[in-house]
Amino acid sequence: LSRASSCKPGRFFSYARIWNKYSSAQDICKPRALTLAIHVNRFCDRSTKHKCPPNTLTKNDRKTMSESNYVLRAENLYKSFGGNDYAVNNVSFSVKRGECFSLLGVNGAGKSSIFSIISGETKRFSGRVETASDIQKHSISYCPQTNALDPLLTVAEIIEFYGKLRNVRDIRKLVSELLENFHLKPYRDILVKNLSGGNKRKLSVASASIGNLSLVLMDEPVADMDPLTRHLVYKTIRELNEIENCSVI
């Protein structure tokens, strides 16, 4: 985190700062939920009671988001798995078009829970998540922390499946390009269940970048990858940002 915070934020990465929301420094070592504060609008201390704000965003508000170059806005997100311990505790942030936005935090800080909320996988939460009015559901892609790949399909079949799902016209060209770009050519006809962890992760990232996208969610996309493969993922993210003007979280 110290290395990340020392970098100058640019077009490619916007670093999120992590804040411990405890009443005193003595409480830091206690195993409680961390608050992720990204482009935060306001902080609250431990004495603040959880109140879910009313969902008052109108169509005009969403239109204003589009005009102000924001693709997504999350406000006052809370997620609890029981009791008073919150996995996500009063998180607010916004993401601009063509921006790569990073969530940084220790294990259990609530990063994957935030992805679940944004993607719609989790329905039971407090707060609100809104996208710009011109963002369609089919233009949002999600690469989860665990590889969501059919183990009985081959690598080429996985790419073909997602290509058809996202209305890509030239499927043959898509399969050829992704196999080449992600160094998966030797595994074209190999079943997913027989791939190594790193190759499964590459295939997951490749599948998530298919189509005409406005927003891509990637939860730990470079896990189980060697340095060379990580560079391929960073290159893919940069191309999504700069060439396709797609936002990546």
Side-chain angles (χ1 to χ4, degrees):
L1 291 178
S2 61
R3 182 180 299 177
S5 59
S6 65
C7 297
K8 293 181 179 180
R11 174 180 172 81
F12 187 44
F13 283 107
S14 292
Y15 289 101
R17 298 183 64 191
I18 310 303
W19 295 81
N20 260 314
K21 207 178 64 169
Y22 299 126
S23 57
S24 66
Q26 296 177 352
D27 290 333
I28 290 178
C29 295
K30 295 182 180 180
R32 295 172 179 169
L34 291 176
T35 294
L36 293 173
I38 311 101
H39 289 186
V40 91
N41 296 327
R42 63 185 178 87
F43 295 99
C44 61
D45 55 28
R46 286 188 56 80
S47 61
T48 303
K49 293 183 178 180
H50 170 210
K51 292 183 179 180
C52 177
N55 190 355
T56 57
L57 258 64
T58 63
K59 291 183 178 179
N60 290 332
D61 295 325
R62 298 187 68 194
K63 184 178 179 181
T64 302
M65 283 180 61
S66 300
E67 295 173 350
S68 61
N69 205 33
Y70 282 98
V71 68
L72 180 139
R73 182 173 295 162
E75 295 184 0
N76 308 110
L77 299 184
Y78 290 86
K79 174 62 181 177
S80 175
F81 293 97
N84 295 322
D85 292 328
Y86 292 97
V88 180
N89 194 344
N90 194 29
V91 177
S92 299
F93 63 93
S94 55
V95 181
K96 293 182 179 180
R97 296 178 188 272
E99 179 180 37
C100 182
F101 196 92
S102 301
L103 300 180
L104 304 178
V106 298
N107 293 336
K111 304 183 297 298
S112 295
S113 297
I114 292 176
F115 278 112
S116 297
I117 291 173
I118 296 175
S119 65
E121 183 180 358
T122 296
K123 300 295 184 183
R124 301 186 63 180
F125 68 94
S126 299
R128 57 177 177 252
V129 177
E130 293 288 341
T131 57
S133 58
D134 59 334
I135 303 300
Q136 304 297 324
K137 289 184 178 180
H138 64 265
S139 66
I140 300 177
S141 180
Y142 180 34
C143 177
Q145 188 175 12
T146 56
N147 299 313
L149 303 171
D150 190 326
L152 299 180
L153 293 180
T154 65
V155 172
E157 287 171 342
I158 289 287
I159 298 174
E160 182 179 350
F161 170 77
Y162 281 102
K164 291 181 178 179
L165 195 65
R166 295 181 183 139
N167 299 320
V168 177
R169 294 183 178 180
D170 196 340
I171 297 296
R172 289 186 178 181
K173 181 180 178 181
L174 173 68
V175 173
S176 177
E177 287 182 351
L178 287 185
L179 291 177
E180 179 72 28
N181 294 341
F182 285 88
H183 298 178
L184 291 171
K185 262 191 173 182
Y187 311 99
R188 178 189 180 98
D189 298 319
I190 302 298
L191 294 178
V192 169
K193 67 179 182 179
N194 296 326
L195 294 176
S196 66
N199 285 326
K200 287 180 181 178
R201 201 64 189 147
K202 282 194 291 186
L203 184 56
S204 294
V205 173
S207 301
S209 61
I210 294 174
N212 185 18
L213 302 172
S214 300
L215 176 64
V216 178
L217 310 175
M218 293 187 178
D219 192 355
E220 297 189 15
V222 294
D224 300 325
M225 289 187 180
D226 57 80
L228 178 61
T229 308
R230 290 186 180 190
H231 175 73
L232 296 176
V233 175
Y234 298 150
K235 181 182 177 182
T236 301
I237 295 174
R238 186 177 291 110
E239 289 175 351
L240 287 170
N241 289 157
E242 298 179 354
I243 298 177
E244 301 184 25
N245 199 32
C246 174
S247 302
V248 180
I249 302 178

